Amino acid sequence: MADLTQTFDVLVAGGGNAALCAAITARQAGASVVLAEHAPRAMRGGNSRHTRNLRALHPGPTGVLTDSYLEEEYWDDLKRVTAGKTDEALARMCIRASQHAPGFLESCGVVFQPSLSGTLSLSRTNAFFLGGGKALVNALYRTAERLGIVILYDTEVQHIEVRDGFATEAIVSHRGFPARIRFKAFVASSGGFQGNREWLRKYWGDAADNFQIRGTPYAQGRILKDLLAQGVQEVGDPTQFHAVANDARAPMEDGGLAMRLDCVPFSIVVNRDVERFYDEGEDVWPKRYAIWGRLIAQQPGQVAFAINDSKAQLDYLPPVFAPYRADSIAELAGMIGLDAGKLEKVVADYNAAVQPGTFKAQSLDDCRTDGLAPPKSHWARKIDTPPYYCHPLKPGITFTFLSVKVNERARVMMADGTPSANMFASGEIMSGNILGQGYLAGFGMTIGTVFGRIAGEEAAKIVRN
C-alpha cells in the first residue's frame, strides 16, 4: 500500500509511454516518483497500448531501420502534413532527439523488430515494437517497478493546486476514495480529451456521438481543462485531432489499430449522398491516413463508403470485418443502402477519367484521373473487375490537439508568458505545440518519448536544486 502522507519529489499524471518515460528518467536521476494512472491495471498504458512504432531520425541503417532518414527530410515531411502549423524550433528539437529514442526504450526493455509489410511502408522511417504497444507498455512498467517508482492504478488526478505558476499538491480519486498527493514537481502526461464526448460536442455538435474513440476511454481531458482554467497558456486548435478511417462496425471505444482501414488509396470513397469528397490518392498513406477521420467526420451522418474491385484486394492489410461483396455495383449499392443509379454513375465517371499508367502499390505512381473533381492523383485503376467490394467507414479519433504550451525544456508556460516554476508536460497533452493539424505515422510516440525524457530530467533537476 502506497504511503500518500509523504511528499514525493515528482508526481507524473498519466500511464502511457510519455508518462512512463518521464517517470523512469526522473527516477534514474535520483528523484522519488509517484505515477498516477487513471485506468485499472488491466487497462493501463493509455493510447500507447495500441501503438506499433516510433518515427526516428537515423543517419544510416540500424538493426531495424533501412537506409537513412535525416533532419531536413523529416522536417519537410512534418511541415507538409501540418501545412506549416507547427513550432519549428520545438519540432526540430524533437526530430533531432528522436535519434536517441529507440536506444532509450531498448534500455528499458523494449524490443524492436523490422517493419511489417502492408500499406504503411515505413521500413526506412519507423522502428516497430516487437509485440506492439502492449509489449512496449509492459516493458516500461517492469522497468518502473524495478526502479521503485510508486504506481497508483484506478487513480484519477482531478485537480492540481497551482498558485502563481507553482504547483503544490494534487487532489485525486484513488480507487474511489478522495486523497491528496503532495509533490515538489509535477509532470502532466495524461493525454487529450478525445474520450470526453461532452467536450467534443462543444465543437462538433451531435456529430461527436458518431465518433469512434480508437484508444483509451480514460482520456477525459480533466487535467488539461484544470490547468487551462488556472492560467496555463493554451496552444492548438480544439477542433483538430488525429483521426483515421475506421471500420464503421468497430466498437465505439478502445478498438485500437485493428479497426483502421487502409483501403482508401486503392478505392474511391463516397459519402451517404453518393458523392466523392476528396482525392483518395493524394500522397503515400503514412502521410495521409490521419486526415481521413476528419474528412469523414465532416460528411452527412459521419459515414463514408470505400468502393473497389477484385484487383485491389491484395494491396492493403486485410480488415477484421469482411467487406460487403457483390457481383455488380447496383447489387453492392443495395447491400449498403446507397442509391444504385447514383453509385453506378459515380463509378462510370471515375472509370472514364482513369488514365493509362504503371501501378505501384507501395509508392507514388502515374496512375491518375483526368478531368475528374475531385481528382485521384495516384493509384487510379478502373473499378471494372467483379466481384465488387465496399468497406463502410466512420471517423476513429486517436487524440485531440488542444494542448498546454511548453518550452524546449518541456516546462509548462503560463498565460503571461512566464514558465511555470515546477510544472512540465509530455505526450498528447502538449502535442498541439508541434501538431497544429495533420499527422505523421509514429510521430505521437516520438513526441511522447522525447518530451517525456526531457520532462523527467528537468523535474528531477529542480528537485535537486
Side-chain angles (χ1 to χ4, degrees):
M1 190 73 178
D3 176 15
L4 298 186
T5 63
Q6 65 177 296
T7 298
F8 292 91
D9 289 338
V10 180
L11 165 63
V12 179
N17 172 69
L20 288 158
C21 287
I24 289 168
T25 303
R27 183 71 188 116
Q28 288 173 334
S32 62
V33 180
V34 58
L35 182 142
E37 162 64 296
H38 186 185
R41 190 181 191 280
M43 295 279 284
R44 69 184 183 182
N47 281 351
S48 302
R49 288 190 305 122
H50 294 299
T51 191
R52 287 197 303 175
N53 57 70
L54 172 146
R55 184 171 288 253
L57 178 151
H58 55 105
T62 73
V64 295
L65 292 164
T66 59
D67 300 326
S68 64
Y69 189 47
L70 302 179
E71 180 179 340
E72 289 309 315
E73 183 185 2
Y74 200 147
W75 164 243
D76 185 62
D77 286 342
L78 180 64
K79 191 167 59 173
R80 272 194 290 158
V81 298
T82 60
K85 295 179 181 178
T86 182
D87 182 318
E88 182 173 354
L90 283 182
R92 283 187 178 272
M93 186 205 74
C94 185
I95 287 168
R96 287 191 290 269
S98 73
Q99 180 178 351
H100 309 292
F104 170 76
L105 293 175
E106 284 180 323
S107 75
C108 297
V110 177
V111 179
F112 289 90
Q113 67 173 35
S115 71
L116 306 170
S117 60
T119 318
L120 287 181
S121 309
L122 300 170
S123 65
R124 191 171 64 83
T125 57
N126 289 43
F128 279 70
F129 310 119
L130 181 64
K134 197 71 179 284
L136 164 95
V137 164
N138 289 343
L140 292 175
Y141 272 102
R142 281 194 298 270
T143 298
E145 290 163 358
R146 189 180 71 248
L147 291 171
I149 293 168
V150 175
I151 299 168
L152 305 176
Y153 297 111
D154 291 299
T155 302
E156 181 186 20
V157 177
Q158 298 175 328
H159 174 65
I160 302 294
E161 291 282 352
V162 181
R163 288 185 186 155
D164 299 322
F166 187 80
T168 54
E169 65 178 8
I171 296 171
V172 308
S173 171
H174 176 52
R175 296 180 179 172
F177 294 93
R180 290 176 181 264
I181 301 175
R182 283 171 285 277
F183 53 79
K184 298 174 184 175
F186 173 63
V187 180
S189 303
S190 51
F193 66 90
Q194 62 273 8
N196 189 329
R197 290 190 190 275
E198 183 180 346
W199 197 347
L200 290 171
R201 281 190 207 101
K202 183 177 175 183
Y203 309 108
W204 290 88
D206 292 341
D209 293 333
N210 293 322
F211 297 169
Q212 295 171 344
I213 312 307
R214 301 176 71 208
T216 177
Y218 294 93
Q220 295 292 314
R222 190 155 187 170
I223 296 174
L224 173 63
K225 182 176 285 188
D226 182 60
L227 293 178
L228 294 180
Q230 296 190 80
V232 167
Q233 191 174 154
E234 175 183 313
V235 67
D237 182 344
T239 71
Q240 289 284 350
F241 43 58
H242 168 5
V244 305
N246 246 26
D247 195 303
R249 298 159 292 182
M252 293 303 285
E253 293 178 343
D254 213 44
L257 273 165
M259 298 297 123
R260 188 187 75 210
L261 292 174
D262 294 332
C263 55
V264 170
F266 311 111
S267 311
I268 58 169
V269 179
V270 299
N271 62 18
R272 194 173 63 185
D273 299 329
V274 202
E275 297 168 344
R276 287 179 61 248
F277 51 89
Y278 200 80
D279 181 349
E280 302 91 348
E282 184 179 39
D283 204 343
V284 291
W285 197 230
K287 298 175 186 176
R288 286 295 177 268
Y289 79 101
I291 69 169
W292 274 87
R294 185 180 182 84
L295 289 169
I296 297 165
Q298 294 167 333
Q299 302 309 307
Q302 295 70 57
V303 66
F305 305 88
I307 311 294
N308 58 37
D309 65 10
S310 59
K311 294 194 297 295
Q313 293 309 295
L314 297 180
D315 292 327
Y316 53 91
L317 291 171
V320 171
F321 300 109
Y324 293 95
R325 170 179 165 159
D327 291 326
S328 71
I329 294 295
E331 182 187 356
L332 189 67
M335 295 174 75
I336 56 180
L338 297 182
D339 183 297
K342 277 188 177 180
L343 187 59
E344 285 180 321
K345 184 177 189 314
V346 167
V347 172
D349 289 348
Y350 165 74
N351 286 345
V354 171
Q355 302 299 298
T358 303
F359 178 79
K360 298 176 182 176
Q362 301 298 321
S363 61
L364 295 176
D365 64 12
D366 60 353
C367 295
R368 60 180 182 83
T369 59
D370 184 46
L372 192 68
K376 185 169 182 184
S377 300
H378 304 281
W379 310 293
R381 291 180 296 180
K382 291 184 179 182
I383 299 174
D384 61 2
T385 309
Y388 301 98
Y389 296 87
C390 170
H391 296 275
L393 310 173
K394 273 192 173 181
I397 300 185
T398 312
F399 63 92
T400 48
F401 289 174
L402 178 66
S403 299
V404 298
K405 186 164 180 60
V406 298
N407 65 13
E408 71 282 354
R409 302 319 300 161
R411 196 177 288 238
V412 168
M413 302 297 292
M414 306 306 291
D416 62 5
T418 61
S420 162
N422 68 339
M423 291 192 294
F424 304 85
S426 62
E428 292 172 5
I429 197 170
M430 48 68 58
S431 63
N433 288 268
I434 297 175
L435 291 169
Q437 68 179 52
Y439 188 70
L440 272 179
F443 195 53
M445 285 296 297
T446 303
I447 292 173
T449 306
V450 168
F451 280 90
R453 295 183 70 194
I454 295 171
E457 180 183 337
E458 294 295 311
K461 189 182 295 181
I462 68 163
V463 168
R464 286 199 306 272
N465 294 338

